[in-house]
């Protein structure tokens, strides 16, 4: 979780800032949480509220 913001920044750089991303944490546990949005929006969110626990990141494909 301590590399989440940096990783999202890399995704924005390589895939584009408007690519939809889903960040889920603590899957199958009591405090499960999922945030969805553009990479820049999630960077702002996790800068203000650092994530804890196990993280899964899903990036939408490029499309046609």
């Amino acid at each position: 979780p301590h590399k989440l913001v940096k990783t999202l920044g890399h995704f924005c750089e390589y895939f584009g800032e408007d690519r939809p991303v889903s960040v889920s944490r603590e899957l199958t546990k009591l405090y499960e949480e999922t945030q969805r949005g553009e990479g820049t929006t999630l960077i702002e969110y996790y800068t203000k509220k650092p994530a804890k626990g196990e993280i899964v990141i899903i990036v939408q494909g490029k499309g046609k």
Side-chain angles (χ1 to χ4, degrees), residues 31-56:
Y31 299 106
E32 181 176 326
E33 175 186 47
T34 299
Q35 296 293 323
R36 295 179 185 94
E38 295 179 350
T40 53
T41 305
L42 294 175
I43 289 172
E44 289 177 26
Y45 178 82
Y46 286 109
T47 299
K48 294 177 185 174
K49 184 183 176 194
K52 296 179 182 178
E54 299 167 349
I55 304 289
V56 175

Side-chain angles (χ1 to χ4, degrees), residues 6-62:
K6 183 177 179 180
T7 301
L8 291 171
H10 287 285
F11 286 170
C12 287
E13 181 181 340
Y14 295 111
F15 301 132
E17 294 181 357
D18 59 344
R19 182 78 60 104
V21 179
S22 173
V23 177
S24 299
R25 66 176 202 88
E26 296 298 314
L27 293 176
T28 73
K29 296 182 182 162
L30 183 63
Y31 299 106
E32 181 176 326
E33 175 186 47
T34 299
Q35 296 293 323
R36 295 179 185 94
E38 295 179 350
T40 53
T41 305
L42 294 175
I43 289 172
E44 289 177 26
Y45 178 82
Y46 286 109
T47 299
K48 294 177 185 174
K49 184 183 176 194
K52 296 179 182 178
E54 299 167 349
I55 304 289
V56 175
I57 304 172
I58 300 173
V59 181
Q60 180 174 321
K62 184 176 180 182

